[in-house]
Each structure stands twice: as structure tokens, then as C-alpha cells.
Amino acid sequence: THTVIAKTAGTGIRDNGTDVLLLAFLAVKSMTEDRSALEYSLNGFSYPVADANLEIHISNLDPGGVMGTMDFYTYEGDGVIDIAEFSAGSFYTQIQSTQSDHIERVDFTAAVNTALQNGWTQLGVRISTATADRYWIGGSIVGKPEPVLRVQQ
């Protein structure tokens, strides 16, 4: 049985070419670049976990055409998203997404285990893209579920 972990912090971050701003929604796109950062508490888990998945509801605003991708980076979170998270983390994985509205489960087992081995209490996840597609990744602004981390000890 997986434990569902709600984000402890999460927001979009936009570089509009002049300033980096925090947003009130989760989005990923490359023009007026939007990235999103999420943080999840790892309290109560010990190394190693058997399975972990980041579950996100993706709405691709530009389905079809060239295959879009989303890049995932991980970092040690602190429960607060700030502008520094715009470039935080080390590359973890990439997914392709052309569907317009679906739930994606991204394997985060290795990331959670690495975080636990390093003594992190919060796993930070930054999501960005270098492709032309624009994505909503859940949240009340689009009426979709918030991203969650599902962990099985």
C-alpha cells in the first residue's frame, strides 16, 4: 500500500525576461519561461523505500505536432518555494507528453531513496521544459488534482 503525500509547498515560477516571479499556479512552458517547484515531506520514511511515484495531472495546451517533453530535477527542499528554486536541482528524468489531459506517474523511487540516504526531510522537485508545448500540471486553477508523491515503504 502506498502512502499519498500532499505537497508541503509548490508554485510556478516565471522568468519574464526582466524578473523572476512566483506564480499562483503550476505551469511549465519555455516562452516567458514557466517552471514549477514542488516539495514533499519524507518524514516517517526510512531508506530504502520499495516504490515511489510522482503523480501529476498534465494538461498539454498544445497537443499534437512535435513531441513535447518535461524535465524533472531534484533538490533538498525546505518546505518553502522561493525564486532560487527556478534553477534548483540536479537533472533526474525526462518524460514525453503529447496527450492533452491525463495523469502521469513518474518513477521517483531512486530520487526518494537518494534523498533518504542523504538525510533530507523534504524532497524538492523542479519541472521545466525546453520544448514549445505549454502544460498545466494540476491544481485548482485548472480544476485538476494537485501533484502528489505516492511512496511505499
Side-chain angles (χ1 to χ4, degrees):
T1 303
H2 285 78
T3 300
V4 178
I5 305 169
K7 63 183 174 45
T8 53
T11 193
I13 306 168
R14 174 172 291 169
D15 182 345
N16 65 9
T18 306
D19 298 303
V20 177
L21 314 163
L22 295 177
L23 305 172
F25 53 88
L26 299 170
V28 178
K29 66 178 184 160
S30 62
M31 298 303 291
T32 61
E33 187 172 3
D34 288 357
R35 299 176 179 185
S36 286
L38 309 163
E39 295 187 5
Y40 296 93
S41 173
L42 298 177
N43 290 331
F45 296 100
S46 58
Y47 175 82
V49 298
D51 187 55
N53 292 283
L54 180 66
E55 186 175 283
I56 55 176
H57 190 283
I58 298 173
S59 296
N60 186 340
L61 303 175
D62 303 302
V66 177
M67 181 75 71
T69 62
M70 295 173 69
D71 298 322
F72 294 81
Y73 297 78
T74 58
Y75 63 93
E76 182 176 9
D78 59 7
V80 178
I81 304 295
D82 59 35
I83 291 171
E85 266 85 16
F86 186 81
S87 297
S90 299
F91 179 78
Y92 177 69
T93 193
Q94 181 181 80
I95 63 168
Q96 295 182 327
S97 180
T98 58
Q99 298 178 37
S100 62
D101 194 26
H102 71 288
I103 293 174
E104 188 77 38
R105 288 173 186 85
V106 184
D107 184 356
F108 261 72
T109 308
V112 169
N113 279 327
T114 297
L116 290 169
Q117 279 184 303
N118 289 323
W120 297 0
T121 59
Q122 296 269 335
L123 174 65
V125 178
R126 180 173 57 83
I127 309 170
S128 62
T129 186
T131 59
D133 286 13
R134 299 169 296 152
Y135 303 97
W136 294 116
I137 56 171
S140 60
I141 195 166
V142 291
K144 304 296 181 185
E146 294 283 348
V148 296
L149 186 63
R150 294 181 178 272
V151 179
Q152 181 179 12
Q153 187 69 68

